[in-house]
Each structure stands twice: as C-alpha cells, then as structure tokens.
Amino acid sequence: ILLSSLGADGTSQSLAAESSSIVAYSVKTGDTLDKISKKYNITTEKLAVYNNIEDARKLFPGMVLRIPL
C-alpha cells in the first residue's frame, strides 16, 4: 500500500504501509493522535496520512481511524 500527501512545502510525500493488517479504532473523549499513535507504536505522521487527517485538532469522539499494524 502506498500513501501520499502534500508536505508543508507543497511537495508530494509517500509512505508505504509495512503491513496488511488494519485495526479500526474508535476515538474516545480525550484521545489525541499522539496518544493513539503511541498505543499502536506508529508515528503520528503515518497515522494522520493514513487517515487523511490534515488537522490533528479535529479528532472527535466516535470518529473511526484505520491503524495499520
């Protein structure tokens, strides 16, 4: 799986998913990308790109994130 996004400088960035296992995680009150990424041992950047999250402050309870394992 190849994921891409635009970097801060407008250039395309790509991330390769290292595994084919995906976990669906339902965001809970108080969750942050940092907390979730640490729980699943993934970088916040990879988690954000994988879920098309441009602004980490826009997480909300009940939102379902896909987490590659």
Side-chain angles (χ1 to χ4, degrees):
I1 298 172
L2 186 64
L3 306 171
S4 64
S5 68
L6 288 181
D9 61 358
T11 60
S12 179
Q13 298 176 337
S14 296
L15 295 174
E18 298 161 0
S19 162
S20 60
S21 297
I22 307 286
V23 168
Y25 178 82
S26 182
V27 176
K28 297 167 185 54
T29 301
D31 276 345
T32 64
L33 278 186
D34 188 53
K35 287 180 183 179
I36 298 166
S37 65
K38 286 179 181 173
K39 179 176 181 173
Y40 289 96
N41 196 29
I42 183 174
T43 66
T44 55
E45 178 185 49
K46 187 173 180 179
L47 183 58
V49 168
Y50 200 81
N51 287 280
N52 297 316
I53 298 171
E54 294 180 13
D55 185 349
R57 297 172 294 180
K58 293 189 178 181
L59 288 182
F60 56 87
M63 180 179 195
V64 177
L65 300 179
R66 295 170 303 135
I67 303 174
L69 300 178

